[in-house]
Amino acid sequence: MSNKVILGCFFIAVSAFLYASKHMTAALMVMNLNSTEANYFDGGYASISTGISFWTGLSLLVGITLLLLDWFPAIKGFLKQIIQPKNKTSH
């Protein structure tokens, strides 16, 4: 594997960790507030700023970009074969 693939997978893993962290943080914030009459998780989730969502999205975008940059020559060659197949001569 090339360094771009490893780095891309790392950024995608960071993105998944941040996504899970946002949900865990909201759950911990309202752990003792929930009752049978009301569920406060949505309020706790909304109170977490968009900062962690921004970094989650940015990390995912960087990871996917790095993977696509490494795989681009292979994808380009595959698409070229589909669009312009080699002519077979019959004898």
Side-chain angles (χ1 to χ4, degrees), residues 2 6-7 15-16 21 25 32 34-35 37 39 45 51-53 55 57 60-62 64 66 72 81 91:
S2 73
I6 294 170
L7 198 57
S15 176
S21 296
T25 302
N32 293 325
N34 288 339
S35 66
E37 293 85 24
N39 184 2
Y45 190 76
I52 196 165
S53 297
W55 291 112
L60 183 64
L61 182 66
V62 168
I64 290 173
L66 286 171
F72 182 71
Q81 286 179 353
H91 295 282

Side-chain angles (χ1 to χ4, degrees), residues 7-72:
L7 198 57
C9 289
F10 171 76
F11 275 107
I12 291 173
V14 168
S15 176
F17 176 77
L18 289 174
Y19 182 76
S21 296
K22 184 173 182 179
H23 285 82
M24 291 299 295
T25 302
L28 289 172
M29 282 175 52
V30 297
M31 183 170 51
N32 293 325
L33 297 178
N34 288 339
S35 66
T36 56
E37 293 85 24
N39 184 2
Y40 296 104
F41 179 77
D42 293 333
Y45 190 76
S47 70
I48 299 172
S49 180
T50 58
I52 196 165
S53 297
F54 170 76
W55 291 112
T56 301
L58 183 66
S59 177
L60 183 64
L61 182 66
V62 168
I64 290 173
T65 302
L66 286 171
L67 287 176
L68 289 177
L69 283 175
D70 188 63
W71 295 339
F72 182 71

Side-chain angles (χ1 to χ4, degrees), residues 68-84:
L68 289 177
L69 283 175
D70 188 63
W71 295 339
F72 182 71
I75 294 170
K76 186 178 175 183
F78 178 71
L79 291 176
K80 191 175 184 181
Q81 286 179 353
I82 291 175
I83 294 171
Q84 298 174 348

